Amino acid sequence: MANIHDVARVAGVSISTVSYALSGKRPIGEKTRLRIDAAVRELDYMPNAAGRMLAGTRTRIFALTAPLRSDTYAPAHMAFVLAVATAARKYDYDVLLLTEDEATDGLRRVSSSRLVDGIIVLDVSINDERAELVRALGVPAALIGVPGNADGLVCVDLDFEAAAALAVDRLVDAGHTSLALLGHPGVVYERGSNFPTRFRDGFLRRAAERGVTARFTMTEKDPPEVRAALSGVLDAVPAATGLVVHAEEGVHKAVLEAVAGRGLSVPGDLSVIAGAPTFDTSAFTPPLDVIPLIPADTCTRAVELAVQQLDGTVAPRVELVAPTYREHGSVAAPRPGS
Amino acid sequence: MANIHDVARVAGVSISTVSYALSGKRPIGEKTRLRIDAAVRELDYMPNAAGRMLAGTRTRIFALTAPLRSDTYAPAHMAFVLAVATAARKYDYDVLLLTEDEATDGLRRVSSSRLVDGIIVLDVSINDERAELVRALGVPAALIGVPGNADGLVCVDLDFEAAAALAVDRLVDAGHTSLALLGHPGVVYERGSNFPTRFRDGFLRRAAERGVTARFTMTEKDPPEVRAALSGVLDAVPAATGLVVHAEEGVHKAVLEAVAGRGLSVPGDLSVIAGAPTFDTSAFTPPLDVIPLIPADTCTRAVELAVQQLDGTVAPRVELVAPTYREHGSVAAPRPGS
DNA sequence: CCCACGAATCGAAACGTTTCGACAAACATC
DNA sequence: GATGTTTGTCGAAACGTTTCGATTCGTGGG
């Protein structure tokens, strides 16, 4: 396998000239550059990664720690992992995947052996030991999600409170005065990520601000549980006419089936908005209005912030990505008499 | 950050002695080793990864290419990715995650820059360009799944044919003479991985060998489609009394619901076996007998073979992992009159 | 005509390891 | 007591880059 010396010899220049020609960090004469380019192609030269890491100050690798908790929704998790890898490539970075059972030891290992330039932390929970560790290690890092104590850390996440508020606003603006939020199973709110809590709080707060009735119900993903939870809010007085669902894909489908099962139509009898899903709600029957959680957005920003920490200093911050609303026709005015 | 020179100075030895003490490749005096160990702890020394890669012959990194096709079942996919990462750690290897849109370029890049020692290829399809590329690059690699042309490649996979045959045997041994296989959607059999085909062929062949009736039906994952497919085999003459399901999690659940919906019981009216799932069928109602596809098994073996290719040569091969059967009470003798 | 300056190139020193060969000392063999 | 072997340690040469400071050469200004 050719190295830089081979290229230099074939092009008839010194290795430093080759290096500068390839990096563009110093001006190189026209003819010389052409000769070097030709030599590179002829030898199929590609710089050796280890040599580069050693001489340069960068390894061009980020570590990614992505715990798979029992209550993690695999498709969303996978989407985030891939989004990080894809975003990293845009900055010419590769991603080293740490295993969950080596979460802290792995972080320690790759950062103190200088194998990675920084760390992307996925699915941060409220009391996340990885947050503490990252702070202690002083390694460039970007967390996706917000830990209980975010001091000194760079965090990125969807603005779940604003997303919930946006959903409330849409429903209230359409004329609804009795809303309900169907959320994740209880265990998710107790320990785990704090975004479900933030969504719930945003929902309840904005509903209060707008002066409308609001109920919050948690549900498991089994269709019977979903039916029961739905009945709870539809049979209440006053019955909910606007529904926000913040849960995984199966729950959305179960909700739509249960609604149809009751002989109700969307949005005729019930307006429905999907809150912060990573999946596609436009293919549902009926398609659902949605405030999407787009992994690529959050992950791209996180990678960007990680890269920026390497040169020029980025102040610690919690950066919340503004939510967007996409209409698919599942929200309408409530029926006059209801 | 301390380096090996610091350790040597503190311990009062040369750097080569430190290196040998840490690697254990040459005998080191008792007192000397203790001094070195003390110095390492005192300085919190950890060898620099780049220096190691450059001087040694190994980078201790494997690349993992794991394409996410539209018909990929995310939870299974994720399970395999994590299983590879976990298995790699057992051999002191880290895993670099390549993105799908950079599948071939990425492989080329990381192997010719010598960033990785080898490649693990996940979810290999029949005409997989990655298989060709790996062959052409001559890089140590282990494929999980079997490409159309496996010449010169090291492949590992569950023995899907044997798994299907095992399911048939169990049902026939229990007295069933009319079997059905509920498989993946049609698109999966046309282009994509070849394991669904292998499972189907194993099923049909063994049924023929045992002289029993066998039907194969593909189904989409929507409950209505599943119901229709199920009706197809239960209303046929002779009606199937033994059912093998080789599909994703939702299909299994839909099958059980549909069976219950028809007023049938498992295994009273219908014996059911789950074929090669990655999820847990023992928590279903009722729990299903299963021939599991265990990502850890396949992935551990693949990593092992990749490691072995680095020293001592491993002959190209297709290594099929023998299936195992786990009873959960969903198979019984058919009802006498049926 | 001399000087300063920029452009283009080179040589050499780093980066932090591993590993080969050498060497001294201790020890066993006959 | 000479000879060979093992044990423990060291020095130095790789490994393949990047990058800092020269050096050379032409060019335009005074």
Side-chain angles (χ1 to χ4, degrees):
Chain A
M1 191 140 290
N3 64 19
I4 199 173
H5 289 97
D6 299 326
V7 176
R9 185 162 26 73
V10 170
V13 296
S14 75
I15 63 162
S16 54
T17 303
V18 175
S19 181
Y20 285 121
L22 294 179
S23 71
K25 294 192 180 176
R26 281 196 188 176
I28 296 292
E30 181 64 11
K31 295 179 313 182
T32 313
R33 187 181 27 254
L34 289 177
R35 279 211 315 283
I36 292 175
D37 286 352
V40 165
R41 268 193 305 280
E42 178 189 336
L43 299 172
D44 197 21
Y45 168 70
M46 178 151 288
N48 176 288
R52 256 192 153 160
M53 289 185 198
L54 190 55
T57 64
R58 302 288 153 81
T59 67
R60 306 219 75 92
I61 300 178
F62 283 137
L64 172 62
T65 153
L68 192 60
R69 282 186 272 274
S70 58
D71 55 342
T72 306
Y73 180 52
H77 192 253
M78 194 73 218
F80 274 93
V81 169
L82 293 179
V84 168
T86 306
R89 284 305 306 148
K90 301 235 169 75
Y91 291 88
D92 206 24
Y93 264 82
D94 274 300
V95 165
L96 201 74
L97 189 63
L98 298 178
T99 58
E100 67 254 68
D101 44 293
E102 206 207 15
T104 57
D105 285 349
L107 284 183
R108 226 184 282 277
R109 180 171 56 80
V110 298
S111 70
S112 61
S113 70
R114 288 232 161 330
L115 176 54
V116 304
D117 291 340
I119 303 172
I120 310 288
V121 185
L122 221 58
D123 201 1
V124 176
S125 65
I126 303 184
N127 271 320
D128 205 311
E129 54 179 355
R130 297 172 301 162
E132 300 305 325
L133 183 56
V134 160
R135 204 184 343 253
L137 289 174
V139 177
L143 319 212
I144 293 176
V146 184
N149 173 9
D151 289 354
L153 298 175
V154 174
C155 307
V156 185
D157 208 353
L158 175 65
D159 191 339
F160 284 92
E161 291 202 36
L166 179 52
V168 169
D169 282 342
R170 282 293 186 133
L171 291 169
V172 174
D173 289 350
H176 296 268
T177 56
S178 179
L179 312 182
L181 167 61
L182 222 59
H184 290 88
V187 58
V188 173
Y189 292 84
E190 288 150 26
R191 52 160 190 75
S193 317
N194 65 7
F195 68 86
T197 317
R198 283 152 54 205
F199 194 91
R200 179 196 62 195
D201 294 348
F203 175 82
L204 296 175
R205 182 175 311 136
R206 180 59 62 102
E209 286 170 9
R210 299 291 305 257
V212 299
T213 306
R215 283 193 197 73
F216 163 66
T217 308
M218 302 176 285
T219 180
E220 301 290 332
K221 62 179 176 178
D222 319 65
E225 302 270 357
V226 174
R227 268 194 295 276
L230 190 67
S231 298
V233 299
L234 293 184
D235 298 339
V237 179
T241 60
L243 181 67
V244 178
V245 183
H246 183 218
E248 47 182 74
E249 190 166 11
V251 173
H252 287 75
K253 292 186 169 168
V255 164
L256 292 179
E257 282 185 19
V259 168
R262 291 173 68 108
L264 300 179
S265 79
V266 173
D269 302 296
L270 184 67
S271 290
V272 180
I273 298 177
T278 53
F279 43 87
D280 179 20
T281 62
S282 72
F284 288 178
T285 44
L288 293 185
D289 276 26
V290 61
I291 299 169
L293 168 52
I294 307 170
D297 287 355
T298 324
C299 294
T300 301
R301 186 61 186 142
V303 167
E304 210 166 86
L305 286 170
V307 169
Q308 287 174 8
Q309 280 174 73
L310 299 177
D311 34 35
T313 177
V314 170
R317 67 177 76 180
V318 174
E319 198 170 300
L320 297 178
V321 176
T324 59
Y325 192 94
R326 303 190 54 177
E327 296 187 11
H328 291 296
S330 67
V331 169
R335 246 185 232 306
S338 67
Chain B
M1 193 137 289
N3 63 19
I4 199 173
H5 289 96
D6 299 325
V7 175
R9 185 162 26 74
V10 170
V13 296
S14 74
I15 63 163
S16 54
T17 303
V18 175
S19 180
Y20 285 121
L22 295 179
S23 71
K25 293 192 179 176
R26 280 195 188 176
I28 296 292
E30 181 65 10
K31 295 179 312 181
T32 313
R33 191 187 19 257
L34 290 176
R35 282 211 315 282
I36 291 176
D37 286 353
V40 164
R41 268 194 304 280
E42 177 189 336
L43 298 172
D44 197 21
Y45 168 71
M46 177 152 286
N48 177 287
R52 244 178 167 180
M53 290 186 198
L54 190 54
T57 65
R58 302 287 153 82
T59 67
R60 306 219 74 92
I61 300 178
F62 283 138
L64 172 63
T65 153
L68 193 60
R69 281 186 272 275
S70 58
D71 54 344
T72 307
Y73 181 50
H77 191 253
M78 193 73 218
F80 274 94
V81 169
L82 293 179
V84 168
T86 304
R89 285 305 306 148
K90 300 235 170 75
Y91 290 88
D92 206 25
Y93 264 82
D94 273 301
V95 164
L96 201 74
L97 189 64
L98 298 178
T99 58
E100 66 255 68
D101 45 291
E102 206 207 13
T104 57
D105 286 348
L107 284 182
R108 227 184 281 278
R109 181 171 56 80
V110 297
S111 70
S112 60
S113 70
R114 290 236 170 302
L115 177 53
V116 304
D117 291 340
I119 302 172
I120 310 288
V121 184
L122 221 59
D123 201 1
V124 176
S125 64
I126 303 184
N127 272 321
D128 205 310
E129 52 179 355
R130 297 172 301 161
E132 300 305 325
L133 183 56
V134 160
R135 204 184 343 253
L137 288 175
V139 176
L143 318 212
I144 294 176
V146 184
N149 172 8
D151 289 354
L153 298 175
V154 174
C155 307
V156 185
D157 208 353
L158 176 66
D159 191 339
F160 284 92
E161 290 202 38
L166 180 52
V168 168
D169 283 341
R170 281 295 184 133
L171 291 169
V172 174
D173 291 349
H176 296 269
T177 55
S178 179
L179 312 182
L181 167 61
L182 220 59
H184 289 88
V187 58
V188 173
Y189 292 85
E190 289 150 25
R191 52 160 189 74
S193 316
N194 65 7
F195 68 87
T197 316
R198 282 152 54 206
F199 194 92
R200 179 195 63 195
D201 294 349
F203 175 83
L204 295 175
R205 181 175 312 139
R206 180 58 62 103
E209 286 169 10
R210 299 292 304 257
V212 298
T213 306
R215 283 193 196 76
F216 163 65
T217 307
M218 301 176 286
T219 180
E220 300 290 330
K221 62 178 175 177
D222 319 66
E225 302 270 358
V226 173
R227 267 194 295 276
L230 190 67
S231 298
V233 299
L234 293 185
D235 298 338
V237 179
T241 60
L243 181 66
V244 179
V245 183
H246 183 219
E248 48 182 76
E249 189 166 12
V251 173
H252 288 74
K253 292 188 169 167
V255 164
L256 292 179
E257 282 186 19
V259 168
R262 289 172 70 107
L264 300 179
S265 78
V266 172
D269 302 295
L270 184 68
S271 289
V272 180
I273 297 177
T278 54
F279 43 87
D280 179 21
T281 62
S282 71
F284 287 179
T285 44
L288 293 185
D289 276 26
V290 61
I291 299 168
L293 168 53
I294 306 171
D297 287 355
T298 324
C299 294
T300 300
R301 186 61 187 143
V303 167
E304 210 166 270
L305 286 170
V307 169
Q308 286 173 9
Q309 280 174 73
L310 299 177
D311 34 35
T313 178
V314 170
R317 67 177 74 178
V318 174
E319 198 169 300
L320 297 179
V321 176
T324 59
Y325 192 92
R326 303 190 53 177
E327 295 189 11
H328 292 295
S330 66
V331 169
R335 248 187 230 303
S338 68

